Amino acid sequence: MQKQGGSGISTVTLLLIGGAVLGAAAGLMFAPKTGRESRKELKQYANKVRKEVAHVAQRTKAGFEGAFEKGRALLESTAA
């Protein structure tokens, strides 16, 4: 008996990639919006995501600073 595990996985992978490419191409060809409208919406979405990431980064930084200060206070209290 021959094992075809590696060959089968590569075939499935190629089929999935091919299907994704064909689906993306079909989506672009049949899109109800013009390229200009699609780019405008994509730019607005990217700006929204950028603002959200900046907000999360700011909150994370504040959390780290708070934890750092608590750790410093704990070290000072145990050292004293």
Side-chain angles (χ1 to χ4, degrees):
M1 285 184 112
Q2 292 180 341
K3 291 186 178 182
Q4 294 181 349
S7 177
I9 291 173
S10 61
T11 302
V12 169
T13 302
L14 286 174
L15 288 173
L16 287 173
I17 291 171
V21 169
L22 289 175
L28 289 173
M29 289 174 53
F30 296 110
K33 297 179 183 176
T34 65
R36 180 175 287 156
E37 291 171 334
S38 296
R39 286 188 300 271
K40 182 180 176 182
E41 284 187 12
L42 185 59
K43 184 178 178 180
Q44 289 172 343
Y45 179 73
N47 285 332
K48 178 183 170 188
V49 169
R50 182 185 55 81
K51 289 177 184 177
E52 289 177 5
V53 167
H55 180 68
V56 169
Q58 186 178 12
R59 286 189 1 227
T60 303
K61 180 182 174 188
F64 278 126
E65 289 172 349
F68 182 75
E69 290 301 319
K70 285 182 182 179
R72 178 182 288 171
L74 180 63
L75 282 174
E76 288 174 357
S77 68
T78 57

Short mmCIF file of all heavy atoms in Angstrom, two decimals:
data_model
loop_
_atom_site.label_atom_id
_atom_site.label_comp_id
_atom_site.label_asym_id
_atom_site.label_seq_id
_atom_site.Cartn_x
_atom_site.Cartn_y
_atom_site.Cartn_z
N MET A 1 0.84 -1.19 0.00
CA MET A 1 0.00 0.00 0.00
C MET A 1 0.87 1.24 0.00
O MET A 1 1.83 1.33 0.74
CB MET A 1 -0.88 0.04 1.24
CG MET A 1 -2.05 -0.90 1.22
SD MET A 1 -3.04 -0.66 2.68
CE MET A 1 -4.47 0.00 1.95
N GLN A 2 0.48 2.21 -0.79
CA GLN A 2 1.22 3.45 -0.84
C GLN A 2 0.46 4.52 -0.06
O GLN A 2 -0.77 4.59 -0.11
CB GLN A 2 1.38 3.93 -2.28
CG GLN A 2 2.28 3.05 -3.11
CD GLN A 2 2.38 3.60 -4.52
OE1 GLN A 2 1.55 4.37 -4.94
NE2 GLN A 2 3.41 3.17 -5.23
N LYS A 3 1.23 5.35 0.64
CA LYS A 3 0.62 6.47 1.36
C LYS A 3 0.63 7.70 0.46
O LYS A 3 1.64 8.00 -0.17
CB LYS A 3 1.39 6.77 2.65
CG LYS A 3 1.23 5.70 3.69
CD LYS A 3 1.88 6.12 4.97
CE LYS A 3 1.69 5.07 6.05
NZ LYS A 3 2.26 5.48 7.32
N GLN A 4 -0.48 8.38 0.41
CA GLN A 4 -0.57 9.58 -0.41
C GLN A 4 -0.90 10.80 0.44
O GLN A 4 -1.51 11.74 -0.01
CB GLN A 4 -1.63 9.41 -1.49
CG GLN A 4 -1.29 8.35 -2.51
CD GLN A 4 -2.35 8.24 -3.57
OE1 GLN A 4 -3.42 8.80 -3.45
NE2 GLN A 4 -2.04 7.52 -4.63
N GLY A 5 -0.52 10.78 1.70
CA GLY A 5 -0.85 11.87 2.62
C GLY A 5 -0.30 13.21 2.18
O GLY A 5 -0.99 14.20 2.11
N GLY A 6 0.98 13.26 1.85
CA GLY A 6 1.61 14.52 1.44
C GLY A 6 1.04 15.04 0.14
O GLY A 6 0.80 16.22 -0.04
N SER A 7 0.82 14.16 -0.81
CA SER A 7 0.30 14.54 -2.11
C SER A 7 -1.13 15.05 -2.00
O SER A 7 -1.51 16.01 -2.65
CB SER A 7 0.37 13.36 -3.07
OG SER A 7 -0.20 13.70 -4.31
N GLY A 8 -1.92 14.40 -1.17
CA GLY A 8 -3.30 14.82 -1.00
C GLY A 8 -3.43 16.19 -0.35
O GLY A 8 -4.25 17.01 -0.74
N ILE A 9 -2.56 16.44 0.62
CA ILE A 9 -2.59 17.74 1.30
C ILE A 9 -2.19 18.84 0.34
O ILE A 9 -2.81 19.90 0.31
CB ILE A 9 -1.66 17.72 2.54
CG1 ILE A 9 -2.25 16.79 3.60
CG2 ILE A 9 -1.45 19.11 3.10
CD1 ILE A 9 -1.36 16.56 4.79
N SER A 10 -1.16 18.61 -0.47
CA SER A 10 -0.74 19.65 -1.41
C SER A 10 -1.82 19.89 -2.47
O SER A 10 -2.03 21.03 -2.89
CB SER A 10 0.59 19.29 -2.07
OG SER A 10 0.47 18.08 -2.80
N THR A 11 -2.52 18.85 -2.89
CA THR A 11 -3.59 19.02 -3.86
C THR A 11 -4.73 19.84 -3.27
O THR A 11 -5.23 20.77 -3.91
CB THR A 11 -4.13 17.64 -4.31
OG1 THR A 11 -3.05 16.89 -4.87
CG2 THR A 11 -5.24 17.78 -5.32
N VAL A 12 -5.11 19.54 -2.05
CA VAL A 12 -6.18 20.29 -1.40
C VAL A 12 -5.77 21.75 -1.21
O VAL A 12 -6.56 22.67 -1.44
CB VAL A 12 -6.55 19.63 -0.04
CG1 VAL A 12 -7.47 20.52 0.76
CG2 VAL A 12 -7.20 18.28 -0.28
N THR A 13 -4.52 21.96 -0.82
CA THR A 13 -4.02 23.33 -0.63
C THR A 13 -4.07 24.11 -1.94
O THR A 13 -4.53 25.26 -1.96
CB THR A 13 -2.58 23.30 -0.09
OG1 THR A 13 -2.55 22.58 1.13
CG2 THR A 13 -2.06 24.70 0.15
N LEU A 14 -3.63 23.49 -3.02
CA LEU A 14 -3.66 24.16 -4.32
C LEU A 14 -5.10 24.46 -4.75
O LEU A 14 -5.38 25.53 -5.30
CB LEU A 14 -2.96 23.32 -5.38
CG LEU A 14 -1.43 23.28 -5.30
CD1 LEU A 14 -0.87 22.30 -6.32
CD2 LEU A 14 -0.87 24.67 -5.54
N LEU A 15 -6.00 23.53 -4.49
CA LEU A 15 -7.40 23.76 -4.84
C LEU A 15 -8.00 24.91 -4.03
O LEU A 15 -8.75 25.73 -4.57
CB LEU A 15 -8.22 22.48 -4.64
CG LEU A 15 -7.98 21.37 -5.66
CD1 LEU A 15 -8.72 20.10 -5.25
CD2 LEU A 15 -8.40 21.82 -7.04
N LEU A 16 -7.66 24.97 -2.75
CA LEU A 16 -8.17 26.07 -1.92
C LEU A 16 -7.63 27.41 -2.38
O LEU A 16 -8.37 28.40 -2.46
CB LEU A 16 -7.81 25.83 -0.45
CG LEU A 16 -8.60 24.74 0.26
CD1 LEU A 16 -8.03 24.49 1.65
CD2 LEU A 16 -10.06 25.13 0.36
N ILE A 17 -6.34 27.47 -2.68
CA ILE A 17 -5.74 28.72 -3.15
C ILE A 17 -6.35 29.12 -4.49
O ILE A 17 -6.70 30.29 -4.71
CB ILE A 17 -4.21 28.59 -3.24
CG1 ILE A 17 -3.62 28.47 -1.84
CG2 ILE A 17 -3.60 29.78 -3.98
CD1 ILE A 17 -2.15 28.13 -1.81
N GLY A 18 -6.49 28.17 -5.37
CA GLY A 18 -7.10 28.45 -6.68
C GLY A 18 -8.53 28.94 -6.54
O GLY A 18 -8.95 29.89 -7.22
N GLY A 19 -9.28 28.32 -5.65
CA GLY A 19 -10.66 28.76 -5.42
C GLY A 19 -10.73 30.16 -4.84
O GLY A 19 -11.60 30.96 -5.22
N ALA A 20 -9.80 30.47 -3.95
CA ALA A 20 -9.77 31.81 -3.36
C ALA A 20 -9.45 32.86 -4.43
O ALA A 20 -10.07 33.92 -4.47
CB ALA A 20 -8.74 31.87 -2.24
N VAL A 21 -8.51 32.56 -5.30
CA VAL A 21 -8.15 33.50 -6.38
C VAL A 21 -9.32 33.69 -7.33
O VAL A 21 -9.66 34.82 -7.70
CB VAL A 21 -6.88 33.00 -7.12
CG1 VAL A 21 -6.64 33.80 -8.39
CG2 VAL A 21 -5.67 33.07 -6.21
N LEU A 22 -9.95 32.60 -7.73
CA LEU A 22 -11.10 32.71 -8.63
C LEU A 22 -12.26 33.45 -7.98
O LEU A 22 -12.94 34.26 -8.61
CB LEU A 22 -11.55 31.31 -9.08
CG LEU A 22 -10.62 30.59 -10.05
CD1 LEU A 22 -11.12 29.18 -10.31
CD2 LEU A 22 -10.51 31.37 -11.35
N GLY A 23 -12.48 33.19 -6.70
CA GLY A 23 -13.55 33.90 -5.99
C GLY A 23 -13.28 35.39 -5.88
O GLY A 23 -14.19 36.21 -6.05
N ALA A 24 -12.04 35.75 -5.61
CA ALA A 24 -11.68 37.17 -5.53
C ALA A 24 -11.85 37.84 -6.89
O ALA A 24 -12.38 38.96 -6.98
CB ALA A 24 -10.25 37.33 -5.03
N ALA A 25 -11.43 37.17 -7.94
CA ALA A 25 -11.56 37.73 -9.28
C ALA A 25 -13.04 37.91 -9.65
O ALA A 25 -13.44 38.95 -10.19
CB ALA A 25 -10.86 36.84 -10.30
N ALA A 26 -13.85 36.92 -9.35
CA ALA A 26 -15.28 37.02 -9.65
C ALA A 26 -15.92 38.14 -8.83
O ALA A 26 -16.77 38.89 -9.33
CB ALA A 26 -15.98 35.69 -9.36
N GLY A 27 -15.51 38.28 -7.58
CA GLY A 27 -16.04 39.35 -6.74
C GLY A 27 -15.72 40.72 -7.29
O GLY A 27 -16.55 41.63 -7.26
N LEU A 28 -14.50 40.88 -7.79
CA LEU A 28 -14.12 42.17 -8.37
C LEU A 28 -14.86 42.45 -9.68
O LEU A 28 -15.24 43.58 -9.96
CB LEU A 28 -12.61 42.22 -8.60
CG LEU A 28 -11.76 42.31 -7.34
CD1 LEU A 28 -10.28 42.18 -7.71
CD2 LEU A 28 -12.01 43.61 -6.61
N MET A 29 -15.06 41.41 -10.47
CA MET A 29 -15.73 41.60 -11.76
C MET A 29 -17.20 41.93 -11.60
O MET A 29 -17.76 42.69 -12.38
CB MET A 29 -15.56 40.33 -12.61
CG MET A 29 -14.15 40.14 -13.11
SD MET A 29 -13.89 38.59 -13.98
CE MET A 29 -15.18 38.61 -15.19
N PHE A 30 -17.84 41.37 -10.60
CA PHE A 30 -19.27 41.56 -10.43
C PHE A 30 -19.63 42.51 -9.29
O PHE A 30 -20.77 42.57 -8.86
CB PHE A 30 -19.96 40.21 -10.22
CG PHE A 30 -19.85 39.30 -11.41
CD1 PHE A 30 -19.05 38.16 -11.36
CD2 PHE A 30 -20.52 39.58 -12.58
CE1 PHE A 30 -18.94 37.33 -12.46
CE2 PHE A 30 -20.40 38.76 -13.68
CZ PHE A 30 -19.61 37.63 -13.62
N ALA A 31 -18.66 43.26 -8.81
CA ALA A 31 -18.90 44.20 -7.71
C ALA A 31 -19.86 45.29 -8.17
O ALA A 31 -19.73 45.82 -9.28
CB ALA A 31 -17.59 44.82 -7.25
N PRO A 32 -20.84 45.65 -7.33
CA PRO A 32 -21.81 46.67 -7.73
C PRO A 32 -21.27 48.09 -7.62
O PRO A 32 -21.93 49.03 -8.04
CB PRO A 32 -22.95 46.46 -6.73
CG PRO A 32 -22.29 45.90 -5.53
CD PRO A 32 -21.16 45.06 -6.05
N LYS A 33 -20.07 48.27 -7.13
CA LYS A 33 -19.50 49.60 -6.95
C LYS A 33 -18.33 49.80 -7.89
O LYS A 33 -17.67 48.85 -8.29
CB LYS A 33 -19.03 49.78 -5.50
CG LYS A 33 -20.14 49.70 -4.50
CD LYS A 33 -19.61 49.86 -3.11
CE LYS A 33 -20.77 49.70 -2.12
NZ LYS A 33 -20.33 49.75 -0.76
N THR A 34 -18.04 51.07 -8.16
CA THR A 34 -16.89 51.38 -8.99
C THR A 34 -15.61 51.23 -8.16
O THR A 34 -15.66 51.15 -6.93
CB THR A 34 -16.97 52.82 -9.52
OG1 THR A 34 -16.89 53.72 -8.41
CG2 THR A 34 -18.24 53.07 -10.30
N GLY A 35 -14.49 51.20 -8.83
CA GLY A 35 -13.21 51.12 -8.15
C GLY A 35 -12.99 52.31 -7.23
O GLY A 35 -12.48 52.16 -6.12
N ARG A 36 -13.40 53.49 -7.67
CA ARG A 36 -13.24 54.70 -6.86
C ARG A 36 -14.04 54.58 -5.56
O ARG A 36 -13.54 54.90 -4.48
CB ARG A 36 -13.70 55.92 -7.64
CG ARG A 36 -13.58 57.22 -6.87
CD ARG A 36 -13.91 58.41 -7.71
NE ARG A 36 -12.81 58.61 -8.65
CZ ARG A 36 -12.91 59.23 -9.80
NH1 ARG A 36 -14.07 59.73 -10.19
NH2 ARG A 36 -11.87 59.38 -10.59
N GLU A 37 -15.28 54.10 -5.65
CA GLU A 37 -16.11 53.93 -4.46
C GLU A 37 -15.51 52.88 -3.52
O GLU A 37 -15.49 53.06 -2.31
CB GLU A 37 -17.53 53.54 -4.84
CG GLU A 37 -18.31 54.63 -5.53
CD GLU A 37 -19.64 54.13 -6.08
OE1 GLU A 37 -19.74 52.92 -6.38
OE2 GLU A 37 -20.56 54.94 -6.20
N SER A 38 -15.04 51.78 -4.10
CA SER A 38 -14.45 50.71 -3.28
C SER A 38 -13.21 51.20 -2.56
O SER A 38 -13.00 50.92 -1.38
CB SER A 38 -14.10 49.51 -4.16
OG SER A 38 -15.27 48.95 -4.73
N ARG A 39 -12.35 51.97 -3.26
CA ARG A 39 -11.14 52.50 -2.64
C ARG A 39 -11.48 53.49 -1.53
O ARG A 39 -10.84 53.51 -0.48
CB ARG A 39 -10.25 53.17 -3.69
CG ARG A 39 -9.54 52.17 -4.59
CD ARG A 39 -8.52 52.86 -5.48
NE ARG A 39 -9.09 53.86 -6.34
CZ ARG A 39 -9.59 53.64 -7.56
NH1 ARG A 39 -9.58 52.42 -8.06
NH2 ARG A 39 -10.07 54.63 -8.28
N LYS A 40 -12.53 54.30 -1.75
CA LYS A 40 -12.96 55.27 -0.73
C LYS A 40 -13.42 54.54 0.53
O LYS A 40 -13.03 54.89 1.65
CB LYS A 40 -14.08 56.14 -1.27
CG LYS A 40 -14.55 57.20 -0.30
CD LYS A 40 -15.67 58.04 -0.90
CE LYS A 40 -16.21 59.03 0.11
NZ LYS A 40 -17.32 59.81 -0.44
N GLU A 41 -14.24 53.51 0.36
CA GLU A 41 -14.71 52.73 1.51
C GLU A 41 -13.55 52.01 2.21
O GLU A 41 -13.50 51.96 3.44
CB GLU A 41 -15.76 51.71 1.08
CG GLU A 41 -17.11 52.33 0.82
CD GLU A 41 -18.17 51.28 0.55
OE1 GLU A 41 -17.92 50.08 0.80
OE2 GLU A 41 -19.25 51.67 0.11
N LEU A 42 -12.62 51.49 1.43
CA LEU A 42 -11.47 50.81 2.00
C LEU A 42 -10.61 51.79 2.80
O LEU A 42 -10.15 51.47 3.90
CB LEU A 42 -10.64 50.15 0.90
CG LEU A 42 -9.46 49.30 1.34
CD1 LEU A 42 -9.92 48.16 2.24
CD2 LEU A 42 -8.73 48.75 0.14
N LYS A 43 -10.44 52.99 2.29
CA LYS A 43 -9.66 54.01 2.99
C LYS A 43 -10.35 54.41 4.29
O LYS A 43 -9.71 54.55 5.34
CB LYS A 43 -9.48 55.24 2.10
CG LYS A 43 -8.63 56.31 2.70
CD LYS A 43 -8.46 57.48 1.75
CE LYS A 43 -7.63 58.58 2.38
NZ LYS A 43 -7.46 59.72 1.48
N GLN A 44 -11.68 54.58 4.25
CA GLN A 44 -12.42 54.92 5.47
C GLN A 44 -12.31 53.81 6.50
O GLN A 44 -12.12 54.07 7.70
CB GLN A 44 -13.89 55.18 5.14
CG GLN A 44 -14.12 56.46 4.38
CD GLN A 44 -15.56 56.61 3.91
OE1 GLN A 44 -16.32 55.65 3.87
NE2 GLN A 44 -15.93 57.82 3.53
N TYR A 45 -12.40 52.57 6.06
CA TYR A 45 -12.29 51.44 6.97
C TYR A 45 -10.89 51.37 7.57
O TYR A 45 -10.73 51.14 8.77
CB TYR A 45 -12.62 50.13 6.24
CG TYR A 45 -12.49 48.91 7.11
CD1 TYR A 45 -13.43 48.64 8.10
CD2 TYR A 45 -11.42 48.04 6.96
CE1 TYR A 45 -13.32 47.53 8.91
CE2 TYR A 45 -11.30 46.92 7.77
CZ TYR A 45 -12.25 46.68 8.74
OH TYR A 45 -12.13 45.59 9.55
N ALA A 46 -9.87 51.60 6.74
CA ALA A 46 -8.48 51.57 7.23
C ALA A 46 -8.26 52.67 8.27
O ALA A 46 -7.59 52.44 9.28
CB ALA A 46 -7.51 51.72 6.07
N ASN A 47 -8.81 53.85 8.04
CA ASN A 47 -8.68 54.93 9.02
C ASN A 47 -9.38 54.58 10.33
O ASN A 47 -8.86 54.87 11.41
CB ASN A 47 -9.24 56.24 8.46
CG ASN A 47 -8.31 56.86 7.44
OD1 ASN A 47 -7.10 56.67 7.48
ND2 ASN A 47 -8.88 57.61 6.51
N LYS A 48 -10.55 53.97 10.22
CA LYS A 48 -11.29 53.55 11.42
C LYS A 48 -10.49 52.53 12.22
O LYS A 48 -10.34 52.65 13.44
CB LYS A 48 -12.64 52.97 11.02
CG LYS A 48 -13.46 52.46 12.17
CD LYS A 48 -14.75 51.83 11.67
CE LYS A 48 -15.47 51.10 12.78
NZ LYS A 48 -16.61 50.32 12.30
N VAL A 49 -9.92 51.55 11.54
CA VAL A 49 -9.13 50.52 12.21
C VAL A 49 -7.88 51.14 12.83
O VAL A 49 -7.51 50.81 13.96
CB VAL A 49 -8.76 49.39 11.22
CG1 VAL A 49 -7.72 48.46 11.81
CG2 VAL A 49 -10.01 48.62 10.83
N ARG A 50 -7.24 52.08 12.12
CA ARG A 50 -6.05 52.74 12.65
C ARG A 50 -6.36 53.47 13.94
O ARG A 50 -5.62 53.37 14.93
CB ARG A 50 -5.50 53.73 11.62
CG ARG A 50 -4.24 54.45 12.07
CD ARG A 50 -3.80 55.52 11.09
NE ARG A 50 -4.82 56.50 10.78
CZ ARG A 50 -5.12 57.55 11.54
NH1 ARG A 50 -4.49 57.74 12.68
NH2 ARG A 50 -6.06 58.39 11.18
N LYS A 51 -7.49 54.17 13.99
CA LYS A 51 -7.89 54.89 15.20
C LYS A 51 -8.18 53.92 16.35
O LYS A 51 -7.80 54.16 17.49
CB LYS A 51 -9.11 55.76 14.94
CG LYS A 51 -8.81 56.96 14.08
CD LYS A 51 -10.06 57.77 13.78
CE LYS A 51 -9.76 58.91 12.84
NZ LYS A 51 -10.97 59.66 12.48
N GLU A 52 -8.84 52.81 16.05
CA GLU A 52 -9.14 51.82 17.08
C GLU A 52 -7.87 51.18 17.62
O GLU A 52 -7.74 50.99 18.83
CB GLU A 52 -10.07 50.75 16.52
CG GLU A 52 -11.49 51.24 16.29
CD GLU A 52 -12.39 50.19 15.66
OE1 GLU A 52 -11.96 49.03 15.48
OE2 GLU A 52 -13.53 50.54 15.33
N VAL A 53 -6.92 50.89 16.74
CA VAL A 53 -5.66 50.29 17.18
C VAL A 53 -4.89 51.28 18.05
O VAL A 53 -4.32 50.90 19.08
CB VAL A 53 -4.81 49.84 15.96
CG1 VAL A 53 -3.38 49.52 16.35
CG2 VAL A 53 -5.46 48.64 15.29
N ALA A 54 -4.90 52.56 17.66
CA ALA A 54 -4.21 53.58 18.47
C ALA A 54 -4.86 53.69 19.85
O ALA A 54 -4.15 53.82 20.86
CB ALA A 54 -4.25 54.93 17.75
N HIS A 55 -6.18 53.60 19.91
CA HIS A 55 -6.89 53.67 21.19
C HIS A 55 -6.53 52.47 22.08
O HIS A 55 -6.25 52.62 23.27
CB HIS A 55 -8.39 53.75 20.96
CG HIS A 55 -9.21 53.83 22.20
ND1 HIS A 55 -9.19 54.93 23.03
CD2 HIS A 55 -10.05 52.94 22.76
CE1 HIS A 55 -9.99 54.71 24.05
NE2 HIS A 55 -10.54 53.51 23.92
N VAL A 56 -6.53 51.29 21.49
CA VAL A 56 -6.18 50.08 22.25
C VAL A 56 -4.73 50.15 22.72
O VAL A 56 -4.42 49.79 23.87
CB VAL A 56 -6.44 48.81 21.41
CG1 VAL A 56 -5.85 47.58 22.06
CG2 VAL A 56 -7.93 48.62 21.19
N ALA A 57 -3.85 50.64 21.87
CA ALA A 57 -2.44 50.77 22.26
C ALA A 57 -2.29 51.75 23.42
O ALA A 57 -1.51 51.51 24.35
CB ALA A 57 -1.60 51.23 21.07
N GLN A 58 -3.05 52.84 23.38
CA GLN A 58 -2.99 53.82 24.46
C GLN A 58 -3.49 53.21 25.77
O GLN A 58 -2.87 53.40 26.82
CB GLN A 58 -3.82 55.05 24.10
CG GLN A 58 -3.72 56.18 25.08
CD GLN A 58 -4.54 57.39 24.63
OE1 GLN A 58 -5.34 57.30 23.71
NE2 GLN A 58 -4.34 58.50 25.28
N ARG A 59 -4.59 52.47 25.71
CA ARG A 59 -5.11 51.82 26.91
C ARG A 59 -4.14 50.77 27.44
O ARG A 59 -3.94 50.64 28.65
CB ARG A 59 -6.46 51.18 26.62
CG ARG A 59 -7.57 52.18 26.47
CD ARG A 59 -8.97 51.58 26.39
NE ARG A 59 -9.06 50.15 26.47
CZ ARG A 59 -9.78 49.40 25.65
NH1 ARG A 59 -10.47 49.94 24.69
NH2 ARG A 59 -9.84 48.10 25.82
N THR A 60 -3.51 50.02 26.54
CA THR A 60 -2.54 49.01 26.94
C THR A 60 -1.34 49.66 27.60
O THR A 60 -0.85 49.18 28.63
CB THR A 60 -2.10 48.18 25.72
OG1 THR A 60 -3.26 47.59 25.12
CG2 THR A 60 -1.13 47.09 26.11
N LYS A 61 -0.86 50.76 27.03
CA LYS A 61 0.27 51.47 27.61
C LYS A 61 -0.07 51.95 29.03
O LYS A 61 0.73 51.81 29.95
CB LYS A 61 0.65 52.66 26.74
CG LYS A 61 1.81 53.45 27.27
CD LYS A 61 2.10 54.65 26.38
CE LYS A 61 3.19 55.51 27.01
NZ LYS A 61 3.37 56.77 26.30
N ALA A 62 -1.27 52.51 29.19
CA ALA A 62 -1.70 52.97 30.51
C ALA A 62 -1.77 51.80 31.50
O ALA A 62 -1.38 51.93 32.67
CB ALA A 62 -3.05 53.67 30.42
N GLY A 63 -2.23 50.65 31.04
CA GLY A 63 -2.29 49.47 31.89
C GLY A 63 -0.91 49.00 32.32
O GLY A 63 -0.69 48.66 33.49
N PHE A 64 0.03 48.99 31.38
CA PHE A 64 1.40 48.61 31.72
C PHE A 64 2.03 49.60 32.70
O PHE A 64 2.73 49.19 33.63
CB PHE A 64 2.28 48.51 30.47
CG PHE A 64 2.13 47.21 29.74
CD1 PHE A 64 1.81 47.20 28.39
CD2 PHE A 64 2.32 46.00 30.38
CE1 PHE A 64 1.68 46.01 27.71
CE2 PHE A 64 2.19 44.80 29.71
CZ PHE A 64 1.87 44.81 28.36
N GLU A 65 1.78 50.88 32.48
CA GLU A 65 2.33 51.88 33.39
C GLU A 65 1.76 51.70 34.80
O GLU A 65 2.49 51.80 35.79
CB GLU A 65 2.06 53.28 32.86
CG GLU A 65 2.89 53.63 31.64
CD GLU A 65 2.49 54.95 31.00
OE1 GLU A 65 1.44 55.52 31.37
OE2 GLU A 65 3.24 55.42 30.12
N GLY A 66 0.47 51.43 34.89
CA GLY A 66 -0.16 51.20 36.19
C GLY A 66 0.42 49.97 36.87
O GLY A 66 0.72 49.98 38.07
N ALA A 67 0.59 48.89 36.12
CA ALA A 67 1.15 47.67 36.68
C ALA A 67 2.60 47.89 37.11
O ALA A 67 3.03 47.39 38.15
CB ALA A 67 1.08 46.54 35.65
N PHE A 68 3.35 48.67 36.34
CA PHE A 68 4.73 48.97 36.68
C PHE A 68 4.80 49.74 38.00
O PHE A 68 5.62 49.44 38.87
CB PHE A 68 5.38 49.78 35.55
CG PHE A 68 6.82 50.11 35.79
CD1 PHE A 68 7.79 49.14 35.64
CD2 PHE A 68 7.20 51.39 36.15
CE1 PHE A 68 9.13 49.44 35.86
CE2 PHE A 68 8.53 51.70 36.37
CZ PHE A 68 9.50 50.72 36.23
N GLU A 69 3.91 50.72 38.14
CA GLU A 69 3.89 51.51 39.37
C GLU A 69 3.50 50.65 40.58
O GLU A 69 4.06 50.79 41.66
CB GLU A 69 2.96 52.71 39.23
CG GLU A 69 3.47 53.78 38.29
CD GLU A 69 4.82 54.33 38.71
OE1 GLU A 69 5.04 54.55 39.93
OE2 GLU A 69 5.67 54.53 37.83
N LYS A 70 2.54 49.76 40.40
CA LYS A 70 2.15 48.86 41.49
C LYS A 70 3.31 47.94 41.87
O LYS A 70 3.56 47.70 43.05
CB LYS A 70 0.93 48.02 41.08
CG LYS A 70 -0.36 48.77 41.10
CD LYS A 70 -1.52 47.86 40.74
CE LYS A 70 -2.83 48.64 40.71
NZ LYS A 70 -3.94 47.77 40.34
N GLY A 71 4.03 47.44 40.87
CA GLY A 71 5.18 46.60 41.14
C GLY A 71 6.27 47.35 41.88
O GLY A 71 6.88 46.84 42.82
N ARG A 72 6.50 48.60 41.44
CA ARG A 72 7.50 49.42 42.10
C ARG A 72 7.11 49.68 43.56
O ARG A 72 7.93 49.57 44.47
CB ARG A 72 7.67 50.76 41.37
CG ARG A 72 8.69 51.67 42.07
CD ARG A 72 8.80 52.99 41.36
NE ARG A 72 9.51 52.77 40.10
CZ ARG A 72 9.64 53.68 39.16
NH1 ARG A 72 9.11 54.87 39.31
NH2 ARG A 72 10.31 53.42 38.06
N ALA A 73 5.85 50.01 43.81
CA ALA A 73 5.38 50.26 45.17
C ALA A 73 5.51 49.00 46.02
O ALA A 73 5.88 49.06 47.19
CB ALA A 73 3.93 50.75 45.15
N LEU A 74 5.21 47.85 45.45
CA LEU A 74 5.32 46.59 46.17
C LEU A 74 6.78 46.31 46.54
O LEU A 74 7.08 45.91 47.68
CB LEU A 74 4.76 45.45 45.32
CG LEU A 74 4.79 44.05 45.95
CD1 LEU A 74 3.91 44.01 47.19
CD2 LEU A 74 4.33 43.01 44.94
N LEU A 75 7.68 46.54 45.61
CA LEU A 75 9.10 46.34 45.90
C LEU A 75 9.59 47.29 46.98
O LEU A 75 10.35 46.91 47.87
CB LEU A 75 9.93 46.53 44.63
CG LEU A 75 9.94 45.37 43.65
CD1 LEU A 75 10.69 45.75 42.39
CD2 LEU A 75 10.56 44.14 44.27
N GLU A 76 9.13 48.53 46.94
CA GLU A 76 9.56 49.51 47.94
C GLU A 76 9.02 49.15 49.31
O GLU A 76 9.69 49.32 50.32
CB GLU A 76 9.12 50.91 47.53
CG GLU A 76 9.91 51.48 46.35
CD GLU A 76 9.38 52.81 45.85
OE1 GLU A 76 8.33 53.29 46.40
OE2 GLU A 76 9.98 53.37 44.94
N SER A 77 7.79 48.63 49.37
CA SER A 77 7.20 48.29 50.66
C SER A 77 7.86 47.05 51.26
O SER A 77 8.00 46.94 52.47
CB SER A 77 5.69 48.07 50.53
OG SER A 77 5.42 46.90 49.77
N THR A 78 8.28 46.11 50.41
CA THR A 78 8.95 44.92 50.96
C THR A 78 10.40 45.22 51.33
O THR A 78 10.96 44.57 52.21
CB THR A 78 8.91 43.76 49.93
OG1 THR A 78 9.50 44.17 48.71
CG2 THR A 78 7.49 43.29 49.71
N ALA A 79 11.01 46.20 50.65
CA ALA A 79 12.40 46.55 50.95
C ALA A 79 12.50 47.36 52.24
O ALA A 79 13.52 47.36 52.90
CB ALA A 79 13.01 47.33 49.79
N ALA A 80 11.44 48.07 52.56
CA ALA A 80 11.48 48.94 53.75
C ALA A 80 11.28 48.18 55.02
O ALA A 80 11.16 47.11 55.29
CB ALA A 80 10.40 50.00 53.65
#
